[in-house]
Amino acid sequence: MPAVAITGLGAVTALGGDVPALAAGLAEGRCGIGPLTLFAHAGRSTLAAQVPEPAAGIARALPRATARRLSRADRFALAAAGEACRSAGLTPELQRAAALYVGATTGGMRESEEVYRRRRAAEERRFRLSRLLGTPLATHAAVVSQALGLFGPRATFSTACSSSALAIGAAAAAVRDGRARIALALGTDQLCRLTYAGFDALQALDVEPCRPFDRERRGLSLGEGAAALVLEDAAHARARGARIRALVLGDATTTDAHHVTAPHPDGAGALRALVAALAAAGVPPEAVDYANAHGSGTRQNDAVEVAVLRAVFGRRLARLPVSSTKSQVGHCLGAAGAVEAVATVIALEQGLLPPTMNLRTPEWPDLDFVSSAGRRAPLAVAVTSSYGFGGHNVTLVLGRAESGR
Amino acid sequence: MSAVAVTGIGVVSALGHGVEAFWDGLVGGRSGLGPVARCAGRAGQVPPLDLRAVARSPLSRRIDRASLLALAACRLALADAGGLPAGTDAARTGLSLGSALGNLGETAIFLDRLFARGTGNPFVFPNLVMNAPLSYASIELGVTGPTAFLVEQESSGEAALAWGAEQVARGAVDVCLAGATDELEAVLCEVLRDAGALARGEPRPLDPEADGPCPGEGAAVLLLEPMARARARGARVYARLEPHPGFGVPAPAHGWARDPEPVAEGLAPLLADADVVFAAASGRPELDGLEGAALARALGGRGVPVTAVRGALGDFGAAGALAAAAAALAVATGTVPPTLGLVPPARGGLDVVVGAARPADIRVAVVNGLARGGLCRPLRLEATA
């Protein structure tokens, strides 16, 4: 079976509009969570990790009528996918046959909310279909496919907060099974009133910037953005002289079958995902150097996640660096899995441990939560996990590209 | 990669619940369309379900309609197969569901309150995640293996079936339920009506005179397992399902491809030995025109019978899952159900079955999933006898 290489990266996050900006933000320990200004919200929470609007030229490959209908999440997707393909050095011919797997949760909801509000407020006399064509989640994949000329296999996954981690797993499977030599995995989501009000109503939002693993943590901070990874048959990458940034060693997905929003109290499904991903990678737990946690900052998630890590890593957990990238870029929902996979690749490439920000009093003092920025350590293998509403769990095992590859 | 067997079929459709009502209706040329008050016009509505018999867990008390339809189809597929194979491990059981638009009804209710009072409803919000049908079904059925929720416009059903079949083929699961759901929703009908995008009378798939689709709803789920295991336990096998990863063609990102050639090129190898094609056509001129021309080119004058279930069921994102269920039944029974609404000649000079169902020797059936944005998601089903 072909080894799966990562040869390109792209990211649009609250830390900046590309991968270098994300890498710098991770290294400096910047927190991108600030006041919510995109829309008015009357609830408890006032914070979000907002992303600056991508440059106007982002849609220039598309006809004007298409460009006009793009949602913010489409534009994030275009920016991240374009950066990933460029950084992988893909030619139009390679892109033509490449597969495309996308994870997202709300599509063009922000724009559609406004169309719906105006119609209900009688500011419009009828619905105009052309303004709602960007609503469906599958639109992101269509936009990226048409702008970048990707005409291989294509799918869009929506499993809440694990959506784009599942898309990465699908891309890795396509490369391993030989259905595609190159597959672009992408996650994208934008802040919208619906998700913001929904999480706030569930009292799942922290009124301060989220504090994963802190004794005082009160919930998550919503974010937005997009991230993309070019996955490629490693032999194909070497043959065309592409730089291999990291390897996808294994992945697994499981289901809790427990509750529509709450995780399984024992983390049974999350535990099976981590164990199965390590088994698929052929990596023993003692070989793992870093865990990029789901780390949403909710009471339940973090407790369950620590229990899962403890069950797998045992006493070694005290020496296993763990961090939550959500403390810097917020919870990017459908994009979270891909954003965190890119952060994990940066960690492997640069031997740099991303920090957990806003962590003052760890609830589990025996763990190494990487509380300060800029910590360096040689890393060979890292795991990154994503857990979604409905008990959907995905774990990815990523490895440093070996020298000479 | 192992061969994938279809050993159970569950359908909730405007023609009724269960394989028998669905297939008898299709083969008998019955229309599931009729006046639906909340849609202010004709639509294909699923007859009422016994909520408590379908959603049995206290955790499902607030289940939404799209999720309920999916869960009902899962239960019907399991019942059709005589339950899960004995000794099935929950962690080796997969579930793959799809939907084009998900829970639009409660999304509108949530937004109405948000705009009126500025607050979200915490009881409705959990139902608004796209994967709610997957959550409910996995909880109700105790599925803890690999699961996925796929969102692919008009080909959401084909996409979810392909993902499920792929998990079975590569040995990631021992058994997988796969299919899709979409609900008929008042706001969607309002939007489509405002846009003048609906048929004035009956929808006429593949008819050059067609003026639009008719909205519908439904869910279909197939039980998939490795052929060798199905054979070993003496299970009834409807057909063999070949997963296809799909392909893209140049198209407006929000609309239908205009050039049929790349579609035809991608379909040609799949159609080379096809004995029947289940078309995506709904009566929407842009889709039907594209599909008619692409099929005509890919079939190259070979007189292969074509049929389109959206004429009887209405148009919705999950309809491809119902087309796949029909294709499995066609392969198993040697019958091609007729296309309602079409007055021949059909687009592209295709041999579209109209009037009475047509008996045929069917070895291979192709379900032609097509979606806006240039997405092609064909499925291929083969006879196993």
Side-chain angles (χ1 to χ4, degrees), chain B:
Chain B
M1 290 277 178
S2 51
V4 180
V6 178
T7 55
I9 300 176
V11 182
V12 286
S13 75
L15 292 169
H17 309 146
V19 167
E20 215 163 294
F22 172 65
W23 189 237
D24 287 354
L26 271 188
V27 169
R30 245 179 0 98
S31 172
L33 310 179
V36 176
R38 65 198 163 94
C39 292
R42 287 180 77 73
Q45 182 170 240
V46 171
L49 284 154
D50 180 356
L51 176 67
R52 288 292 153 245
V54 176
R56 300 168 191 169
S57 160
L59 291 169
S60 305
R61 221 168 282 139
R62 306 197 66 98
I63 193 169
D64 62 283
R65 182 166 176 81
S67 297
L68 183 70
L69 297 179
L71 179 57
C74 287
R75 290 204 182 283
L76 287 166
L78 287 170
D80 182 54
L84 281 173
T88 300
D89 177 359
R92 295 273 305 162
T93 302
L95 179 61
S96 175
L97 293 175
S99 175
L101 297 171
N103 185 357
L104 278 182
E106 286 184 316
T107 299
I109 290 170
F110 186 94
L111 289 178
D112 288 341
R113 165 164 149 170
L114 178 58
F115 297 144
R117 294 200 244 159
T119 56
N121 182 337
F123 300 104
V124 171
F125 182 61
N127 280 359
L128 304 188
V129 292
M130 253 342 253
N131 56 317
L134 187 69
S135 310
Y136 282 115
S138 66
I139 291 167
E140 286 276 346
L141 305 171
V143 172
T144 64
T147 63
F149 198 80
L150 286 108
V151 187
E152 312 248 326
Q153 304 264 34
E154 291 79 359
S155 63
S156 296
E158 292 89 339
L161 280 161
W163 192 88
E166 200 187 296
Q167 306 312 304
V168 173
R170 85 155 76 93
V173 296
D174 295 333
V175 56
C176 188
L177 286 159
T181 178
D182 268 297
E183 65 164 340
L184 182 65
E185 215 291 309
V187 175
L188 177 63
C189 294
E190 187 186 346
V191 169
L192 294 172
R193 199 164 306 283
D194 277 3
L198 295 176
R200 280 184 292 274
E202 292 298 308
R204 301 162 72 173
L206 293 169
D207 191 322
E209 308 290 317
D211 62 349
C214 180
E217 67 175 353
V221 167
L222 305 185
L223 184 65
L224 309 174
E225 53 187 306
M227 187 66 74
R229 287 175 72 98
R231 290 276 187 238
R233 70 184 184 92
R236 173 196 46 195
V237 176
Y238 285 101
R240 173 184 167 175
L241 174 61
E242 258 181 61
H244 190 284
F247 59 96
V249 297
H254 302 96
W256 295 94
R258 293 183 189 114
D259 181 3
E261 193 55 47
V263 180
E265 205 178 296
L267 285 177
L270 276 151
L271 292 176
D273 57 354
D275 301 306
V276 60
V277 177
F278 282 77
S282 63
R284 188 189 304 277
E286 306 94 312
L287 162 61
D288 292 17
L290 170 71
E291 187 173 36
L295 287 179
R297 284 181 204 210
L299 291 168
R302 219 158 55 81
V304 175
V306 175
T307 189
V309 299
R310 280 175 165 97
L313 303 173
D315 184 29
F316 50 102
L322 285 83
L329 290 160
V331 166
T333 61
T335 309
V336 182
T339 302
L340 299 195
L342 163 70
V343 181
R347 287 184 187 267
L350 294 173
D351 176 16
V352 180
V353 178
V354 292
R358 189 189 297 180
D361 183 17
I362 304 174
R363 296 286 316 165
V364 173
V366 170
V367 178
N368 188 35
L370 280 179
R372 62 182 76 223
L375 182 57
C376 304
R377 300 283 329 214
L379 291 173
R380 193 183 147 93
L381 293 102
E382 265 185 51
T384 56

Side-chain angles (χ1 to χ4, degrees), chain A residues 41-43 62 65-67 69-70 74 96 101 105 109 113-114 116-117 119-120 125-129 132-134 136-139 142-143 145-146 150-160 166 170 173-174 177 179 193-195 197-199 201-202 253-261 272 388-392, chain B residues 1 59 91 100-101 104 107-115 117-123 125-132 134-136 138-139 142-153 159 163 166 170 187 190-192 194-195 197 245-255 262 284 372-375 377:
Chain A
H41 174 70
L62 292 165
T66 303
R69 291 174 186 163
L70 297 183
D74 288 331
R96 209 179 156 69
Y101 296 101
T105 69
M109 180 56 76
E113 281 165 358
E114 192 52 23
Y116 183 75
R117 188 197 63 75
R119 176 71 187 87
R120 284 293 175 259
R125 289 181 48 212
R126 60 184 183 90
F127 280 116
R128 268 188 272 180
L129 187 58
L132 290 165
L133 289 173
L137 304 192
T139 309
V143 165
S145 160
Q146 299 306 329
L150 303 172
F151 297 125
R154 190 204 296 180
T156 297
F157 297 93
S158 193
T159 54
L166 187 61
D177 294 353
R179 271 172 291 133
R193 293 188 66 178
L194 182 127
T195 33
F199 277 103
L202 288 177
T253 172
T254 66
T255 311
D256 284 354
H258 171 71
H259 193 270
V260 287
T261 56
R272 281 187 295 114
F389 264 19
H392 195 271
Chain B
M1 290 277 178
L59 291 169
L101 297 171
L104 278 182
T107 299
I109 290 170
F110 186 94
L111 289 178
D112 288 341
R113 165 164 149 170
L114 178 58
F115 297 144
R117 294 200 244 159
T119 56
N121 182 337
F123 300 104
F125 182 61
N127 280 359
L128 304 188
V129 292
M130 253 342 253
N131 56 317
L134 187 69
S135 310
Y136 282 115
S138 66
I139 291 167
V143 172
T144 64
T147 63
F149 198 80
L150 286 108
V151 187
E152 312 248 326
Q153 304 264 34
W163 192 88
E166 200 187 296
R170 85 155 76 93
V187 175
E190 187 186 346
V191 169
L192 294 172
D194 277 3
F247 59 96
V249 297
H254 302 96
R284 188 189 304 277
R372 62 182 76 223
L375 182 57
R377 300 283 329 214

Side-chain angles (χ1 to χ4, degrees), chain A residues 228-382:
Chain A
L229 302 93
V230 174
L231 273 55
E232 184 170 359
D233 179 336
H236 184 265
R238 280 192 291 272
R240 71 179 181 93
R243 179 156 75 98
I244 295 180
R245 318 272 305 255
L247 301 167
V248 180
L249 301 175
D251 66 275
T253 172
T254 66
T255 311
D256 284 354
H258 171 71
H259 193 270
V260 287
T261 56
H264 191 283
D266 304 329
L271 176 61
R272 281 187 295 114
L274 177 52
V275 169
L278 290 172
V283 168
E286 51 275 20
V288 176
D289 301 309
Y290 166 60
N292 187 283
H294 181 64
S296 64
T298 66
R299 305 287 320 165
Q300 260 179 320
N301 173 80
D302 294 5
V304 168
E305 197 166 8
V306 167
V308 166
L309 291 170
R310 213 181 281 288
V312 171
F313 297 104
R315 294 226 303 259
R316 210 180 140 260
L317 193 52
R319 285 173 289 118
L320 178 72
V322 175
S323 61
S324 167
T325 304
K326 291 184 177 73
S327 66
Q328 296 187 268
V329 299
H331 192 334
C332 302
L333 302 177
V339 167
E340 288 155 32
V342 169
T344 305
V345 172
I346 292 169
L348 287 164
E349 263 194 318
Q350 305 191 357
L352 175 93
L353 292 167
T356 304
M357 305 307 296
N358 318 320
L359 176 58
R360 285 173 288 268
T361 322
E363 176 150 355
W364 301 273
D366 61 320
L367 266 71
D368 177 7
F369 285 117
V370 197
S371 47
S372 63
R375 200 164 114 198
R376 306 220 153 246
L379 307 175
V381 176

